Amino acid sequence: MGSRLSEARRFFSILGFILLLITLFGSHLPWMEIAEEHHVHSWQIVEEGGDSGTATFKMTMYFNLLSVEACQTFLEDSPFFFSGQEVCSVMPFKDADKNTVDTHDWSSYSESCESAGLTAFAMIVVAVSILALVVLISTFKNIQRKCCPAQFRAQQGKAKCMVPTCAAFAPVCAIVAIVIYFMQCINDAKGQDVVSADDVGDVERSASGYEGFWIALTGSICLLFWWILFTIWFCGKSTETPADFEAGSESRRTQSRDARQRLNQDSDPEEDSQL
């Protein structure tokens, strides 16, 4: 049972750590997608002394934690683009309007998603750091248990309370990051699903969580399971060391041998001779 508990604890810690690192360092891992399924944009493109034409496309915006990615999917062939071609540009939030100035306003999402993304990024960094720190502390305590058993026993009472409490901040920070991003960015964007434009009728947009959001949510759940199993394992560790077990076994063997000797000394010699 103990080995299975340790294996499950390691599995959830490694999986959660990897998933959260992916959300931090994935350069093209959007947390939210805003799409315009039923609206077609058009560009009138004229090159001086060259080709000219009209390019039609649909617009999709992907919001990462620290940047935004604007994608145009072109619907027909033109002198400049072919049907089905997708062109994407990654830029900081402050430059988002520069790429979409002629495709209606997207600035209403930038401010809330920028602050939510920065907060979520910082909270996930804290969660990953706490996880790594707790793993190092538990490894140190295991080494201390074997090398310095007296010191380990003296500190174990406080450690049983402090270490799991500190470890709890890892899943808490990760879950808070998810909640903040959902409430401040995704849920806020869902409330702006119809946008008025000057040159056309109302434009319908849909906002939904995307790859990065669901990967981070899975990683946060893994951290929660890890913390539960870690607390059970850490608080259930015995303060006895292998040397203590060997000493106890030797003491029990000595006591049993002494008891047999006393029993032999107290027996009746005549009864022994008759036997």
Side-chain angles (χ1 to χ4, degrees), residues 42-57 72-87:
S42 62
W43 278 345
Q44 297 291 335
I45 304 175
V46 179
E47 289 186 346
E48 186 176 352
D51 295 327
S52 62
T54 301
T56 58
F57 62 93
Q72 294 88 25
T73 303
F74 293 91
L75 304 177
E76 58 187 14
D77 293 328
S78 69
F80 310 99
F81 306 99
F82 58 86
S83 178
Q85 181 179 356
E86 186 176 42
V87 178

Side-chain angles (χ1 to χ4, degrees), residues 96-196:
D97 288 340
K98 296 179 180 180
N99 188 69
T100 60
V101 65
D102 58 345
T103 56
H104 312 146
D105 184 29
W106 294 83
S107 60
S108 57
Y109 312 104
S110 298
E111 184 176 349
S112 60
C113 289
E114 181 178 13
S115 60
L118 184 60
T119 303
F121 182 87
M123 296 293 285
I124 291 177
V125 169
V126 172
V128 171
S129 301
I130 292 175
L131 173 61
L133 179 62
V134 170
V135 170
L136 289 176
I137 291 175
S138 61
T139 302
F140 169 77
K141 296 299 290 183
N142 277 336
I143 296 174
Q144 184 188 50
R145 180 171 177 262
K146 296 177 181 178
C147 299
C148 308
Q151 188 178 7
F152 172 81
R153 285 192 293 267
Q155 298 176 353
Q156 183 64 5
K158 293 182 179 179
K160 281 185 176 182
C161 176
M162 295 177 60
V163 176
T165 301
C166 293
F169 284 98
V172 167
C173 288
I175 292 173
V176 168
I178 299 297
V179 173
I180 289 176
Y181 194 88
F182 176 80
M183 296 300 297
Q184 190 171 334
C185 186
I186 298 176
N187 194 57
D188 182 67
K190 286 183 176 181
Q192 306 177 45
D193 56 353
V194 176
V195 180
S196 297

Side-chain angles (χ1 to χ4, degrees), residues 181-272:
Y181 194 88
F182 176 80
M183 296 300 297
Q184 190 171 334
C185 186
I186 298 176
N187 194 57
D188 182 67
K190 286 183 176 181
Q192 306 177 45
D193 56 353
V194 176
V195 180
S196 297
D198 296 332
D199 55 339
V200 295
D202 291 342
V203 178
E204 293 186 3
R205 292 173 177 168
S206 61
S208 60
Y210 210 63
E211 296 171 350
F213 178 81
W214 298 115
I215 291 175
L217 180 60
T218 304
S220 301
I221 294 174
C222 288
L223 282 193
L224 180 61
F225 282 118
W226 163 78
W227 174 75
I228 294 172
L229 296 175
F230 173 82
T231 302
I232 296 173
W233 169 77
F234 192 85
C235 294
K237 284 198 302 184
S238 173
T239 57
E240 291 185 339
T241 64
D244 295 330
F245 284 114
E246 293 176 3
S249 299
E250 181 63 29
S251 176
R252 285 190 293 272
R253 286 195 295 269
T254 302
Q255 293 175 359
S256 177
R257 186 167 56 250
D258 292 343
R260 286 196 301 270
Q261 290 176 354
R262 286 194 299 270
L263 181 62
N264 292 334
Q265 291 173 358
D266 295 339
S267 62
D268 187 355
E270 293 182 0
E271 182 179 351
D272 292 340

Side-chain angles (χ1 to χ4, degrees), residues 12-31:
F12 283 117
S13 65
I14 294 173
L15 183 59
F17 184 78
I18 292 175
L19 291 177
L20 292 181
L21 282 183
I22 290 175
T23 64
L24 292 177
F25 296 104
S27 58
H28 296 285
L29 195 63
W31 279 50

